[in-house]
Amino acid sequence: MTQVDESRPLTREENDLLTQTGPGTPGGELLRRYWQPVALSEELPPSGAPRPVRIMSEDLVLFRDDGDRLGLLGLHCAHRGADLSYGRLEDGGLRCIYHGWLYDVSGRCLEQPGEPAGSTFHERLRHRAYPCREVGGIIFAYMGPGEPPLFPAYEPLLADEGYRVSKKRLSDCNYLQSHEGNLDPEHLSFLHHGLPRREGNFYSAPPIVRTEETPFGGRVYSIRPAPDGMRFVKTTCFVMPNINATGPDHGGFQMGWHVPIDDFSHWRYSVGFRRTAPMDELARTESVSEIADGYRHVRNRANRYLQDREAMKTWSYSGIGTSNGPQDACVQEGMGAIEDRTEEHLGTTDQGVLLARDRLLRAIQDVLAGRDPPHVVRDETSNHHDIRVVTAVIPGDRDWYNFWESSQEAGVVSPFRALRAAGRV
Ligand code: FES
Ligand SMILES: [Fe+2]
């Protein structure tokens, strides 16, 4: 268990290592060692048009061939660079509409109709291609070198369709800003808080924060005082390299991937699930009114997130509606496209942020040294991950670190059940 009172800011070199994700950058090479989301399944229905996608500064085309196999190829045709997302889906692949070159999902060029009969030119050509997997309503790709690792067996992705919801949202800033936001429990007492601070609200007091390393990354514990001598305990997981597991207690949790589009914008893919009951319609569609076309927030920098100064006087700390997403976007995009972490002054509640930076910087060194970084899974027997997200109110004299081993015991109360019992929700 780690406790840090103050910490030095990052050096410029460290900030660059963590935030630069294009091909050939050390940080980009680290992210490419793991399966990454590239689209929602709903964006590419069977027989749907190929889609251009930009991931980690690479322009690619995602498609299903006429045998329903997924392909992810370099966007620009190997012949003279035409955009393959306008191509034809036929004859076992994707055919460029400029001169008819045909590619299969593995990047082999099957035909070059303009070349002489008997030419072997096409056999010597290999277009950029990445393997894909479709799991839990999300299409993932492996964009790294060598043999892909096993696909990680994350519980939310394995949930049946009615028990989970998969989403994506656009953020106009570097991926690390949003990633670190999920590892910072203190902001729940401010940014996402209502007004006035009701007596007994579980987030009223800033937390004590503790962290620990785990094989998958680490856990962040926040402990707050609760009414009647109880304590409110919450764990969040940092999962290598760009994943968080967070959530309220609905008998499940949410995993989110912060996937760079380039170094100045990213997608946040998420999968929320419940173990014991299907997600109801409200849980599946909540905050839809906050989402515009293209998986963008209605509230954005151009309209100053529709911040309401009157609401700030009465019921909203931020004045930015009731949905966490736009509130997070306001502060994270407001840091600038890439936050200058050489100017920070981290405090005692920033330990989750420190844990992630430390693990990422060490993992980058692993990759530079030619080693697999942590949580690259190559062995089926170790493809199970103790990613638990716990939110509970426990007696003040109870051990907050170990209680979750037996969280079904009497005396450990879901905060939502406690709120309901108290008539607050
Ligand atoms: S540019 Fe694609 S076939 Fe010529
Ligand atoms: Fe947040």
Side-chain angles (χ1 to χ4, degrees):
M1 197 61 52
T2 309
Q3 177 183 358
V4 179
D5 291 334
E6 287 183 13
S7 173
R8 66 170 178 80
L10 291 185
T11 64
R12 191 160 303 285
E13 183 193 15
E14 288 169 332
N15 202 34
D16 289 348
L17 282 172
L18 290 170
T19 57
Q20 294 178 357
T21 65
T25 60
E29 289 303 306
L30 174 68
L31 293 176
R32 283 168 174 76
R33 296 311 200 268
Y34 305 81
W35 289 91
Q36 297 287 351
V38 296
L40 293 176
S41 296
E42 68 184 30
E43 297 180 86
L44 192 69
S47 309
R51 293 190 69 86
V53 296
R54 184 167 167 80
I55 305 289
M56 296 185 280
S57 303
E58 294 189 45
D59 287 310
L60 305 166
V61 55
L62 180 67
F63 66 101
R64 297 183 198 270
D65 70 11
D66 49 14
D68 208 28
R69 286 170 300 201
L70 284 165
L72 183 64
L73 304 180
L75 181 67
H76 298 289
C77 179
H79 179 211
R80 281 173 46 213
D83 181 334
L84 288 171
S85 69
Y86 295 99
R88 299 174 61 88
L89 293 168
E90 60 189 21
D91 302 325
L94 178 62
R95 190 184 294 279
C96 180
I97 57 171
Y98 204 178
H99 313 95
W101 287 23
L102 177 69
Y103 302 93
D104 73 5
V105 296
S106 66
R108 285 186 306 158
C109 185
L110 305 179
E111 294 177 15
Q112 294 167 319
E115 295 301 303
S119 165
T120 60
F121 181 21
H122 68 100
E123 294 171 9
R124 287 174 274 125
L125 198 144
R126 201 69 184 240
H127 195 44
R128 187 157 38 116
Y130 299 121
C132 297
R133 289 280 304 270
E134 189 169 17
V135 186
I138 298 179
I139 298 169
F140 292 80
Y142 177 71
M143 294 171 59
E147 193 62 25
L150 295 180
F151 193 86
Y154 296 142
E155 193 179 1
L157 289 170
L158 303 175
D160 288 341
E161 188 170 348
Y163 288 69
R164 63 165 163 75
V165 58
S166 302
K167 302 177 186 172
K168 67 188 273 188
R169 300 286 179 263
L170 183 68
S171 285
D172 283 322
C173 63
N174 185 265
Y175 87 100
L176 192 62
Q177 282 150 234
S178 302
H179 193 21
E180 292 180 344
N182 286 116
L183 303 169
D184 157 21
E186 188 191 14
H187 84 282
L188 298 173
S189 295
F190 298 92
L191 180 69
H192 302 314
H193 211 285
L195 282 177
R197 296 186 164 218
R198 287 179 302 183
E199 188 71 18
N201 184 307
F202 290 109
Y203 293 101
S204 294
I208 295 168
V209 179
R210 298 286 183 270
T211 61
E212 66 176 340
E213 283 195 15
T214 62
F216 59 75
R219 296 194 186 97
V220 183
Y221 297 80
S222 62
I223 307 107
R224 291 175 166 89
D228 305 323
M230 305 286 275
R231 282 200 285 204
F232 176 44
V233 183
K234 208 169 155 55
T235 63
T236 298
C237 291
F238 158 67
V239 183
M240 289 287 297
N242 58 334
I243 312 171
N244 309 115
T246 59
D249 174 13
H250 292 302
F253 60 88
Q254 185 177 86
M255 290 188 81
W257 284 253
H258 300 281
V259 186
I261 297 169
D262 49 36
D263 292 342
F264 314 112
S265 60
H266 68 276
W267 292 112
R268 182 179 194 275
Y269 285 87
S270 65
V271 186
F273 87 111
R274 294 179 184 177
R275 291 189 186 88
T276 53
M279 307 279 274
D280 56 35
E281 208 45 38
L282 180 65
R284 295 174 63 82
T285 59
E286 64 191 353
S287 81
V288 159
S289 63
E290 296 277 355
I291 300 303
D293 286 348
Y295 304 101
R296 294 167 181 272
H297 292 294
V298 170
R299 298 167 185 270
N300 57 55
R301 191 163 35 198
N303 60 28
R304 293 192 59 80
Y305 306 91
L306 303 174
Q307 189 181 38
D308 180 346
R309 293 259 152 200
E310 283 306 308
M312 292 170 78
K313 294 176 188 167
T314 51
W315 62 271
S316 170
Y317 190 84
S318 69
I320 303 174
T322 56
S323 179
N324 288 7
Q327 296 165 357
D328 285 325
C330 172
V331 295
Q332 289 155 6
E333 294 173 353
M335 294 170 174
I338 302 178
E339 187 201 356
D340 181 358
R341 292 175 177 76
T342 67
E343 296 289 333
E344 287 181 332
H345 301 81
L346 299 187
T348 52
T349 60
D350 293 313
Q351 294 175 60
V353 171
L354 288 171
L355 169 95
R357 291 178 187 178
D358 180 52
R359 295 230 62 179
L360 289 170
L361 286 169
R362 281 190 278 146
I364 285 172
Q365 295 309 317
D366 286 337
V367 172
L368 289 173
R371 297 186 291 268
D372 265 350
H375 196 50
V376 166
V377 184
R378 298 200 185 276
D379 170 11
E380 202 58 73
T381 60
S382 50
N383 194 9
H384 51 84
H385 312 287
D386 193 11
I387 297 168
R388 282 186 269 175
V389 178
V390 178
T391 308
V393 178
I394 63 172
D397 59 358
R398 188 85 187 270
D399 173 5
W400 57 263
Y401 178 62
N402 288 312
F403 82 89
W404 53 310
E405 300 291 349
S406 54
S407 58
Q408 301 308 313
E409 282 179 24
V412 180
V413 183
S414 153
F416 296 92
R417 282 201 299 273
L419 281 171
R420 198 171 297 130
R424 296 200 182 106
V425 293

